[in-house]
């Protein structure tokens, strides 16, 4: 029996499952940034004179929070397009 076909199938399935889990990481930054914007708007509504400080701090925080989603996206792309070719090369 040829186990290389089974090994290739398991490797591809692992890449697909890992990519799906990595791409789910985009949910967290979306929720976090939505909460940050909501709180910033609430703060600006309470004290309109601090609009510049609140806005700049919120934008910096949103940019930092977005990096986690980008890392997950890049990891998912690598698992979809790069890793399967590497595994197939190793398995023969």
């Amino acid at each position: 029996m040829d186990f290389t076909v089974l090994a290739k199938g398991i490797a591809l399935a692992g890449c697909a499952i890992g990519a799906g889990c990595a791409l789910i990481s985009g949910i967290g930054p979306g929720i976090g940034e939505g909460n940050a914007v909501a709180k910033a708007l609430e703060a600006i509504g309470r004290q309109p004179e601090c609009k510049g400080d609140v806005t700049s701090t919120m934008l910096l925080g949103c940019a930092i929070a977005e990096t986690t989603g980008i890392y997950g996206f890049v990891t998912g792309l690598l698992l979809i397009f790069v890793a399967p070719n590497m595994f197939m090369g190793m398995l023969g």
Side-chain angles (χ1 to χ4, degrees):
M1 184 172 190
D2 188 19
F3 287 108
T4 58
V5 174
L6 180 63
K8 288 180 181 182
I10 291 172
L12 290 175
C15 287
I17 292 170
C21 291
L23 292 176
I24 289 175
S25 68
I27 295 172
I31 295 171
E33 289 172 23
N35 287 337
V37 171
K39 295 297 181 179
L41 290 175
E42 183 179 330
I44 292 170
R46 291 175 188 260
Q47 293 184 343
E49 65 274 2
C50 70
K51 179 181 179 182
D53 293 336
V54 171
T55 302
S56 62
T57 305
M58 178 203 64
L59 288 175
L60 179 65
C62 285
I64 292 172
E66 187 64 31
T67 58
T68 58
I70 293 171
Y71 291 148
F73 180 68
V74 170
T75 303
L77 287 178
L78 289 174
L79 284 170
I80 292 170
F81 295 111
V82 177
N85 294 329
M86 290 175 51
F87 286 133
M88 296 309 119
M90 288 180 201
L91 295 173

